[in-house]
Amino acid sequence: MSASTRPIRDRSTVGRFPSVTLGFGEDTEEEKEQPKENNAQKENACQQWLRKVCRCCHPKSNEDDNAETLVTGSTTDLDKEDEKNDRKPVTTDIDINELLLKVRSINLMKSKSGENRTEHHTNRYHGDDFVIRRGQNFQLWITLSRPFNPNTDKLHLELKTGPLPTVSKETHVIIPLVEALEGNRWEAAVVAQDDKRLNLSVNSSPSAVIGRYQLTVETNCANGPASFTADPANDIYMLFNPWCEGDTVFMDSEDVRQEYVLNDVGRIYYGTENQIGARTWNYGQFDNGILAACLYILEKSGTLPSGWGDSVNVVRIISAMVNSPDDQGVLEGNWSGDYSGGTSPTAWSGSVEILKAYHKNKGSPVKYGQCWVFAGVVTTVLRCLGIPCRPVTNFNSAHDTDVSLTTDVYLDENLEPIDHLNADSIWNFHVWNDCWMARPDLPPGNGGWQAVDATPQETSQGSYRCGPASLAAVRNGQVYLKYDCPFVFAEVNSDKIYWQKNANGTFTQIYSEKKTVGHYISTKAVGSDERNDITDLYKYPEGTEEERIAVETACRYGSKASAFSSSKAEDVSVEVTMDGQGPTMGNDAELTITLRNSSSEKRTVTLNSQAVVMYYTGVPKATVRKHTVEVDVPPKSETALDWSLEYKDYKDQLVDQAALMLTLSGRVRETQQVQATQFSFRLRTPDLIIKPIGKAVVGEKTAIEISFTNPLPQVLKAVTFNMEGLGLLTARKIKYGDIGSRASVSLTEYFIPTLPGPRKLLASLDCKQLTQVHGVTDITVEEKSNAAL
């Protein structure tokens, strides 16, 4: 034809499809003069081929109804071109779509009664959205255009969230297809195949970004790649997971998870310390539209989705966004008594209406709220996102405005209040929240409950927000730890100090009240509507030595450190040491506490010690020993104390890693010097002894012996040994059974090395009573000799 032509495929298809061109130019005059009945004969083979494979572009003419559809004419040129390019001619009657592996549909099995949502504890969320929790397995079915061949076909999943998904920031996740799932990472494996249907089992990372992901499926085969376009119906909503040990918000008790994550109705306390009232609050975190509203709050914050995998960061975002002064957040606070133009704070009975109104009105703050309303909304949002949370009420709650960590009252020369200076206040009650999480950003021991306050009182890093502040840090006066520990400490444990103005304009401290602030700190009890007093989590008992030490420690970092007289000397030090590699599992843990006196006079130290079992994340699990002792330290000398923790005291409390922490605090009687230190240690477990038997040769059966001695005076139940080694053997589990108290066992295993050279064989033991038992041995694998070939 004399018409101009253009390629039917772009360059990316070269080598996969016939290099044909089609005429799309204007007909020449000569062609226009041809009679219609000759069009079919004049149509070349290319046009006939296109009409066959793409009927929408080249519809079949009436004359073709009775014609043979197989294209056979004018193929000589095509064959010559194929031969020139060393290709075999392609039969032109094959549908192009059949050459690719395409995804026809995805079934996320998102029924509320199905395994996915039931196992993920998301079956109570209203609607048909696919809501799951990170760090946990889920299942899906994929229907393909033809059966999947693992030998020639490739497939992987992709998830994208946020406006600019990026692999390096974990907002664009590529989920590979693997042979066996390992856990604690993004991965997928085929667990069943039914003709064109694949059943995939997918694991997500326990640190994955939360939020809404778009799901696509990418395939590849010998004929090229194909992509399944994202469909909003297949979007995945990812939440925090308190049921996953690898998640920072993990809680190890089902009762507390039911209360602080899944309970959608609660109680908030108010009133005075002598007249405590309670009101029921509807959190409604599973109500229709609430999850969408909570994610909208995160989006409206303007923060990067890449930070939404960090529970600390998310809590700070929510603390800021639930109030409105600087970011047009959810609620506008109002303490004026005039609530015209809005709803009185006392009229609210739940969070659902507030959150739906905020979302519906595209981020216009809802009027009005006070502290318990802010706390109720925060509880709803955090529980909805998967972070354990509860509202907390503090009676006689101080508001420290100048970071003095004291509540200051200024009086003139006549002992009359100076109103313009008295900015600090004590509220009858104040409500904030506790949320549960590990704090890897803080020293060990500061995980667990964290205080977070959305009521706009003071700014934190430029925004009206507060927390998360570790309750352990607040309790011990460690106000130098982030976030906002000084403010929370002052709320619950500041001294009330009276200052009188002098004639020269300065002020002198004339009186202090030490038991005025922080009474009956309350929250709803787990599993009942009873009030639970949690004051002891925030502060030591009033008037005790530990409480005074905490106050004085905190106030050293305040703006009025001189309000607390410093000790006369700093001449006593304390140190904790252990012998060798430290205590071993199954035996008493023994440490040495050494007090050194550098002065020329005797010193008497009252020393308090407390040992706690910790998770490896730094979250305390249980206190296993407390003790107070008075120690005399001679001048220019030191005194060593033997400290021990008996096996019977810790054996039922240990968790993975067998980590413990000893906290020491004390005061020197003569100088009032305060001493405090923390010492973290773990109970060492025995190693597995792995011994190769004979030499190792590629392709030949090799034996190893594993030996182990139970260090505990109790039977180890259902023991499993695990083995693996690159080039030696794939992961293998050996179900051994029980091992008696203090008993020694050995077993022999065989494997066939596949790669020569230096290799490492790893083994571990696992059972409920004992973890973190492992061993490793070096094995040099020889090449198979030529004689053996």
Side-chain angles (χ1 to χ4, degrees), residues 602-616:
K602 185 191 78 169
R603 295 288 186 249
T604 302
V605 182
T606 300
L607 194 64
N608 306 297
S609 64
Q610 175 179 282
V612 299
V613 171
M614 294 191 305
Y615 294 98
Y616 77 95

Side-chain angles (χ1 to χ4, degrees), residues 74 83 110 146 153 159 195 285 305 379 454 585 664 701:
S74 303
E83 291 172 4
K110 54 188 178 181
R146 59 171 175 75
D153 297 330
L159 294 176
D195 192 31
Q285 65 266 34
T379 304
M585 179 73 74
L664 299 177
K701 192 174 183 179

Side-chain angles (χ1 to χ4, degrees), residues 147-183:
F148 181 78
N149 184 347
N151 296 322
T152 58
D153 297 330
K154 303 295 182 184
L155 181 149
H156 71 266
L157 310 180
E158 293 195 15
L159 294 176
K160 297 179 181 180
T161 188
L164 294 171
T166 308
V167 172
S168 62
K169 296 186 180 298
E170 300 181 32
T171 51
H172 178 185
V173 181
I174 299 174
I175 307 175
L177 210 58
V178 298
E179 291 187 3
L181 298 175
E182 295 184 8

Side-chain angles (χ1 to χ4, degrees), residues 234-532:
N234 293 325
D235 284 354
I236 295 176
Y237 294 78
M238 187 73 69
L239 306 179
F240 290 102
N241 193 353
W243 285 264
C244 172
E245 291 189 27
D247 200 312
T248 53
V249 301
F250 170 69
M251 301 186 94
D252 67 352
S253 167
E254 183 60 25
D255 288 341
V256 295
R257 290 191 293 250
Q258 289 288 330
E259 180 66 49
Y260 298 131
V261 182
L262 300 183
N263 194 352
D264 54 5
V265 178
R267 290 168 74 81
I268 298 177
Y269 298 92
Y270 65 96
T272 68
E273 63 174 310
N274 297 315
Q275 298 171 302
I276 297 177
R279 62 179 300 162
T280 300
W281 194 267
N282 175 29
Y283 301 123
Q285 65 266 34
F286 307 118
D287 208 78
N288 190 35
I290 295 303
L291 176 57
C294 294
L295 294 178
Y296 174 74
I297 292 170
L298 285 176
E299 293 167 5
K300 193 173 184 297
S301 71
T303 58
L304 296 175
S306 57
W308 296 356
D310 181 354
S311 54
V312 173
N313 185 49
V314 168
V315 164
R316 276 184 77 69
I317 294 170
I318 298 304
S319 173
M321 284 299 298
V322 168
N323 63 65
S324 67
D326 45 25
D327 46 26
Q328 290 293 291
V330 176
L331 268 170
E332 181 177 329
N334 187 341
W335 288 263
S336 70
D338 178 8
Y339 308 117
S340 57
T343 301
S344 169
T346 57
W348 301 112
S349 59
S351 310
V352 172
E353 185 180 355
I354 296 170
L355 288 168
K356 285 186 175 181
Y358 183 70
H359 192 196
K360 179 182 178 182
N361 296 324
K362 299 181 179 179
S364 177
V366 178
K367 301 176 180 181
Y368 292 102
Q370 290 183 5
C371 64
W372 67 91
V373 188
F374 289 110
V377 172
V378 168
T379 304
T380 298
V381 175
L382 293 188
R383 288 187 184 182
C384 182
L385 297 178
I387 299 177
C389 184
R390 64 189 183 189
V392 172
T393 303
N394 177 39
F395 293 94
N396 288 357
S397 186
H399 180 181
D400 175 25
T401 59
D402 59 359
V403 203
S404 65
L405 292 99
T406 58
T407 302
D408 301 299
V409 179
Y410 293 93
L411 308 173
D412 61 18
E413 295 89 335
N414 300 317
L415 300 181
E416 295 290 333
I418 305 175
D419 292 338
H420 70 277
L421 292 180
N422 290 329
D424 291 353
S425 60
I426 297 178
W427 299 18
N428 285 343
F429 75 98
H430 181 46
V431 187
W432 61 76
N433 298 88
D434 284 347
C435 57
W436 179 275
M437 64 186 65
R439 290 299 299 272
D441 56 327
L442 299 182
N446 286 289
W449 287 116
Q450 315 285 315
V452 55
D453 194 347
T455 301
Q457 297 180 89
E458 301 294 328
T459 59
S460 170
Q461 295 181 331
S463 296
Y464 279 99
R465 58 185 169 186
C466 180
S470 164
L471 266 59
V474 170
R475 189 172 193 248
N476 291 297
Q478 296 171 327
V479 297
Y480 44 84
L481 297 177
K482 57 186 181 182
Y483 290 92
D484 308 310
C485 282
F487 186 82
V488 178
F489 179 88
E491 287 183 303
V492 300
N493 206 14
S494 59
D495 286 356
K496 191 174 185 178
I497 298 181
Y498 294 82
W499 303 84
Q500 184 176 23
K501 189 175 183 179
N502 300 317
N504 62 0
T506 61
F507 287 87
T508 301
Q509 178 184 343
I510 59 172
Y511 182 67
S512 65
E513 293 177 328
K514 295 180 170 55
K515 300 180 182 180
T516 301
V517 169
H519 296 169
Y520 300 105
I521 303 176
S522 304
T523 192
K524 176 186 173 299
V526 173
S528 79
D529 284 337
E530 298 299 315
R531 184 180 68 87
N532 184 23

Side-chain angles (χ1 to χ4, degrees), residues 541-615:
E542 292 281 8
T544 62
E545 186 74 1
E546 294 95 334
E547 188 263 345
R548 285 293 91 197
I549 290 173
V551 172
E552 294 181 26
T553 299
C555 289
R556 289 180 182 178
Y557 297 90
S559 60
K560 294 187 178 67
S562 59
F564 293 86
S565 56
S566 60
S567 60
K568 299 176 183 177
E570 299 280 341
D571 48 29
V572 174
S573 62
V574 62
E575 182 184 18
V576 181
T577 57
M578 61 186 181
D579 292 334
Q581 295 182 331
T584 57
M585 179 73 74
N587 298 313
D588 295 348
E590 296 181 347
L591 303 173
T592 301
I593 302 170
T594 302
L595 291 163
R596 295 184 176 88
N597 176 12
S598 61
S599 75
S600 56
E601 300 177 357
K602 185 191 78 169
R603 295 288 186 249
T604 302
V605 182
T606 300
L607 194 64
N608 306 297
S609 64
Q610 175 179 282
V612 299
V613 171
M614 294 191 305
Y615 294 98

